Amino acid sequence: MQKNKQQPSHKVEGQWLPTTRKEMDHLGWEQADVILFTGDAYIDHPSMGTAVIGRVLEAHGYKVAIVPQPNWRDDLRDFRKLGRPRLFFGVSAGAMDSMVNHYTAARRRRSDDAYTPGGRPGARPDYPTIVYSDILKKLWPDVPVVAGGIEASMRRLAHYDYWQDRIKPSILAECRADVLVYGMGEKPNLQIADALAAGLPIDQITDVPQTVVRRPLREMPAASTSTDVVLHSYEECLGSKRAHAANFKVIEEESNLWHGHNLWQATGDMAVKVNRTNEPMTTEEIDASFDLPYTRLPHPRYQGKRIPAYEMIRHSVCLHRGCFGGCAFCTISAHQGKFIASRSKESILREVRQVTHMDDFKGYISDLGGPSANMYAMHGRDLTLCQVCRRPSCLHPKPCRNLNTDHSALLDIYHAVDALPEVKKSFIGSGVRYDLSMHRTGDERVDRINAQYNEELIRFHVSGRLKVAPEHTSDRVLQLMRKPSFDLFRRFKALFDRLNARYDLHQQIIPYFISSHPGCTDEDMAELAAITRELDFHLEQVQDFTPTPMTVSTETYCTGLAPYTLQPVYSAHDKQEKLGQRKFFFWYDKAYKRDIEASLRRMHRPDLLRRLYGPSVSPKKPIK
C-alpha cells in the first residue's frame, strides 16, 4: 500500500477518541458519557470543532466517543454501534453549513467534499443537523440530543435559506434536538454535561449562555425588558420582509455585545429562546482549549486516504478567535464573536514545536493566522467602552478611535516562531486586513510598527502569492459590504510592488472579488473589469455571491432592504442576472468578448469598451 503522507509513521503521544466499539473495548469502556456525531471525517486537530468539544469534555473527566460521517441511508447501524451514552448525543453538520458544502452559488451539486476522505461527495445528507437528530431520537427517544456547529449556530432563529429560497424557522423547529449550542461551544457543552451528570433533566437546562431552547409561549415576555428582547415572530417574518430585516439588526447586535440579552421568537405554538452570549474567552481559557492532547492527525481509520481539508491545516497554527471586521457577507463574528480571544505566546510556541516534530514537516509553517490574520491581541484601549458598544464592525466605516491597532504583539510571535531552529519559514495563509495594518493612527510609534508589519509580511511571510480581499472596486458596493475604499487596495498594492522591486522578490498579489453582491449592478462589474485590467490582473480568486444564513448581505438579498436603514437595495436574483455580472471577471476570455461588448453598448459605455479592448475598438462594430 502506498504510504499516506498525512500519517506520520512514528508513534504519537496520546490517542484518538474512540470511533468504534472495538476501540471502546480496548479502553475498557462499557459505555461512553457523550457520543458526538459529525458530518466531517474525524481529524483530531484544534481547528476542527468536533475534536475540540470532544477533547474539552475528555479533559473534564468525561468519556467521549465520535461517530464521523454515519451512514443515514442503510439500517442505521452507525447510529446504534456505540450504544446509549450516559449523558447525551451531540450532533454537528461539520465545519461548514451542509448546503454551502454541497451546492454552488448556481445551486449546482458540487462534485467533491474537502472534509471527506478522498474528497468524495455524498458522505453526509443535506441538513445533517436535522437528519442525525431525528434518527437518534427515533432510536433513543429518552436520550438528550445537543446540536452544535456552524450549521446549527447560523440557523438558530428564523433565517433565509438560499437553496430552498424561503425564510425558514429556527432549526430547532425542524429537528428533534433538545438543545442547540451556538458559537464557540466549549463552555456550554461542558455546562450541559455537568448539569446532566448532576441529575438535572434536559428539559430543565434552559438558561445556559449560548444555548437555544424551546419554551412554551406563555413563558415568553409580552415585551422586551432589561434582560430579554422579543423579536418579530416567525409568522410575522413570513408576512413582512420589513419585519424580518428589522429582526436581523437586533440579532447581529446581540451576537456582538459583550453583555448580551436573551432573544425570544414566537414560532408556531412555541417560543424559541436564545440565551445570551458568554463574555469573550480569556487567554487562559483559550489556551486551555488549544493545549489539549490533540494528535493533530486524521484518525487511523483513514490510512491511505487523503482528506483535502487536512492538507490546508496540517502545518498551520491558529493564533486567536473572533473578528471585528464585520464584513456584511461573513458569518465569523456571528459564530465566534467580534471580540478577539488571543492565545498566549507560550501556547502558540508549544503548538508550533508540536508541528515541527511531525514526520512530514519540512521546515515550513503554512499559516500563522486566524479568522483575520492580523487581529492577534487587538482590542479596545478602554474596554469599558467596548462592553457597551453596539457597532457590528470596529473597522467600518472607519477604524474605531478606541481600537488599539498595534501589530507589535503579532510581530513578536512571528519573530519567536522564525527563531526556532526547526523552522525555515513561516507563512501567513489567512486573510490579512490591510485596512487595519495600513491605518494611520497618528501615534508615531504604532504607525512605525504597523509599517514594519507590512514590510515583514511582504518580505518574509508570503509563499509566492499574497491573497487579499478588496472584494470590489465600487465604493458604493464596498459600503454595503462594510469594506474599505478600493483606493486603499491601490495603496497596498503600490507598497507590495515597491517592496518586491526593492528586494527582488518576484511575488504576486492575488485579490479576491465578489459578483452579484447586494447593491452591485452590471455597470459596477464592468467598471471592476476595466479597473482590474488596468492593474494587470487576470482574475482567478472570484466568486458569485452566495447568500448564507445569518449575514447582513443575505438578509438584504432576501428582503430587498438594508437591515440597518430599511432602505431598498437592488440584488441580482435570477440565473441570467448573476451570470451577466460574473462574465465581467473574465473579460480576457474570447468566449465572453461578444457578450461583454453587447452589454457595454446597451449601457452606452463606449469608454469601458475602449478601456477593456483598446482605443482602436469601435463602439459600434463588433470585436473580432
Side-chain angles (χ1 to χ4, degrees):
M1 181 182 293
Q2 183 180 1
K3 183 179 177 182
N4 178 14
K5 66 179 179 180
Q6 293 186 54
Q7 306 285 353
S9 58
H10 75 284
K11 184 178 179 180
V12 296
E13 292 184 6
Q15 57 191 358
W16 288 264
L17 298 173
T19 65
T20 65
R21 182 71 250 177
K22 183 177 179 180
E23 292 171 62
M24 286 176 59
D25 291 342
H26 179 73
L27 294 170
W29 296 4
E30 290 187 9
Q31 183 183 35
D33 295 319
V34 177
I35 302 175
L36 304 176
F37 286 78
T38 174
D40 290 342
Y42 172 29
I43 302 171
D44 191 42
H45 191 284
S47 293
M48 308 305 289
T50 301
V52 171
I53 299 306
R55 289 298 187 185
V56 168
L57 291 170
E58 177 194 47
H60 287 79
Y62 293 107
K63 298 174 182 177
V64 184
I66 293 178
V67 180
Q69 300 188 313
N71 190 335
W72 74 101
R73 296 187 179 102
D74 61 4
D75 61 2
L76 308 181
R77 67 187 66 183
D78 283 349
F79 293 87
R80 305 173 193 266
K81 65 182 181 182
L82 302 187
R84 172 195 300 268
R86 184 172 69 91
L87 299 178
F88 69 86
F89 289 113
V91 298
S92 168
M96 294 175 66
D97 185 285
S98 64
M99 305 306 281
V100 179
N101 181 286
H102 285 169
Y103 298 95
T104 69
R107 298 188 177 95
R108 288 194 299 269
R109 191 85 182 188
R110 296 188 191 274
S111 60
D112 58 0
D113 182 340
Y115 295 87
T116 299
R120 66 180 178 85
R124 79 188 84 212
D126 289 353
Y127 309 107
T129 308
I130 297 172
V131 175
Y132 295 169
S133 298
D134 288 0
I135 291 172
L136 290 168
K137 276 299 186 182
K138 186 182 300 181
L139 296 175
W140 316 95
D142 57 335
V143 178
V145 174
V146 179
I150 192 77
E151 180 171 275
S153 184
M154 297 297 97
R155 296 171 181 268
R156 58 189 182 257
L157 287 159
H159 58 279
Y160 175 70
D161 186 288
Y162 173 67
W163 299 272
Q164 294 188 20
D165 193 23
R166 68 183 182 94
I167 294 174
K168 299 183 70 174
S170 164
I171 199 168
L172 266 190
E174 296 195 319
C175 77
R176 297 175 65 186
D178 297 281
V179 179
L180 184 158
V181 170
Y182 69 93
M184 299 292 93
E186 290 103 324
K187 285 185 181 179
N189 274 289
L190 185 57
Q191 287 178 268
I192 292 168
D194 287 347
L196 290 169
L200 198 64
I202 191 68
D203 60 2
Q204 292 183 29
I205 305 174
T206 60
D207 299 315
V208 174
Q210 283 186 212
T211 64
V212 186
V213 294
R214 305 179 194 85
R215 303 307 301 156
L217 273 174
R218 65 178 181 275
E219 290 187 13
M220 189 174 77
S224 297
T225 68
S226 60
T227 58
D228 298 85
V229 174
V230 178
L231 300 169
H232 294 290
S233 71
Y234 170 60
E235 287 72 23
E236 286 180 276
C237 292
L238 288 179
S240 168
K241 289 185 175 181
R242 192 178 184 86
H244 185 62
N247 266 4
F248 183 80
K249 175 178 181 290
V250 178
I251 294 167
E252 184 180 45
E253 287 180 341
E254 289 293 333
S255 297
N256 289 324
L257 282 179
W258 192 291
H259 302 294
H261 303 81
N262 302 321
L263 299 179
W264 294 81
Q265 185 172 45
T267 303
D269 59 359
M270 69 168 183
V272 173
K273 180 192 179 190
V274 178
N275 289 303
R276 64 173 178 80
T277 58
N278 280 304
E279 293 182 6
M281 294 178 81
T282 64
T283 294
E284 292 72 24
E285 288 171 335
I286 195 168
D287 278 359
S289 181
F290 275 88
D291 289 348
L292 294 170
Y294 305 96
T295 65
R296 291 186 59 89
L297 301 167
H299 190 277
R301 66 193 284 149
Y302 308 121
Q303 186 70 35
K305 296 179 181 177
R306 174 180 175 272
I307 303 174
Y310 177 64
E311 296 289 320
M312 300 293 293
I313 63 170
R314 68 179 187 219
H315 297 150
S316 71
V317 176
C318 181
L319 310 185
H320 63 275
R321 291 183 187 161
C323 178
F324 51 72
C327 296
F329 47 81
C330 183
T331 61
I332 291 171
S333 64
H335 190 60
Q336 296 192 14
K338 77 172 182 179
F339 297 105
I340 305 302
S342 297
R343 300 169 65 185
S344 67
K345 179 179 177 180
E346 294 73 23
S347 174
I348 292 166
L349 290 177
R350 278 194 293 271
E351 187 177 356
V352 171
R353 290 189 183 99
Q354 189 179 2
V355 173
T356 66
H357 293 153
M358 295 173 70
D359 279 2
D360 61 352
F361 182 70
K362 305 299 183 186
Y364 300 97
I365 300 294
S366 62
D367 186 23
L368 289 174
S372 289
N374 57 322
M375 291 185 181
Y376 176 76
M378 292 187 187
H379 49 73
R381 295 183 182 87
D382 182 349
L383 287 181
T384 62
L385 296 179
C386 297
Q387 291 173 12
V388 296
C389 178
R390 287 183 171 271
R391 277 182 62 168
S393 170
C394 302
L395 294 179
H396 187 270
K398 59 183 179 180
C400 176
R401 287 180 295 178
N402 187 45
L403 179 64
N404 180 3
T405 65
D406 187 339
H407 284 63
S408 57
L410 186 54
L411 282 172
D412 184 45
I413 297 293
Y414 293 176
H415 298 162
V417 170
D418 289 346
L420 295 174
E422 303 88 350
V423 175
K424 296 177 182 177
K425 202 173 183 68
S426 61
F427 298 114
I428 312 306
S430 303
V432 173
R433 289 298 299 245
Y434 55 83
D435 52 337
L436 182 59
S437 63
M438 295 190 71
H439 172 59
R440 299 291 178 85
T441 67
D443 182 319
E444 184 178 336
R445 185 191 68 85
V446 172
D447 289 347
R448 184 176 65 254
I449 288 169
N450 293 355
Q452 178 187 348
Y453 172 82
N454 285 326
E455 179 160 341
E456 291 196 18
L457 168 72
I458 294 167
R459 285 186 66 187
F460 305 126
H461 300 288
V462 176
S463 180
R465 312 172 101 201
L466 178 63
K467 296 177 182 179
V468 294
E471 309 294 7
H472 214 286
T473 56
S474 163
D475 283 352
R476 180 179 48 77
V477 177
L478 288 166
Q479 277 289 110
L480 290 166
M481 291 179 164
R482 294 184 184 153
K483 296 287 286 186
S485 169
F486 192 71
D487 287 341
L488 190 60
F489 172 75
R490 291 180 186 274
R491 283 176 44 204
F492 184 76
K493 182 181 182 301
L495 172 65
F496 183 88
D497 291 343
R498 283 198 306 274
L499 291 174
N500 268 269
R502 183 184 305 167
Y503 298 106
D504 195 27
L505 296 175
H506 308 289
Q507 297 174 155
Q508 289 180 289
I509 190 167
I510 307 297
Y512 282 73
F513 289 98
I514 297 177
S515 60
S516 301
H517 187 275
C520 180
T521 65
D522 287 8
E523 196 161 351
D524 292 322
M525 290 302 299
E527 291 273 8
L528 183 152
I531 291 169
T532 55
R533 181 197 185 284
E534 288 159 0
L535 290 172
D536 199 26
F537 288 126
H538 281 206
L539 300 181
E540 303 171 19
Q541 300 293 335
V542 299
Q543 67 180 77
D544 191 21
F545 170 65
T546 304
T548 57
M550 209 168 171
T551 71
V552 184
S553 300
T554 295
E555 300 311 325
T556 304
Y557 173 93
C558 163
T559 63
L561 302 170
Y564 281 74
T565 65
L566 298 181
Q567 295 301 305
V569 177
Y570 161 77
S571 293
H573 273 257
D574 66 47
K575 181 179 179 180
Q576 290 309 311
E577 282 182 298
K578 292 170 81 67
L579 289 174
Q581 290 201 16
R582 194 173 188 277
K583 71 189 177 194
F584 285 103
F585 285 140
F586 309 108
W587 58 267
Y588 52 85
D589 188 329
K590 291 181 179 180
Y592 292 98
K593 279 187 176 182
R594 285 189 177 277
D595 196 14
I596 289 173
E597 172 197 353
S599 295
L600 292 176
R601 286 182 173 141
R602 283 195 299 272
M603 294 176 200
H604 303 291
R605 293 299 303 269
D607 58 318
L608 292 178
L609 194 61
R610 287 191 292 271
R611 286 168 66 186
L612 282 175
Y613 298 116
S616 62
V617 174
S618 166
K620 295 183 178 179
K621 293 182 180 178
I623 299 170
K624 296 181 180 178

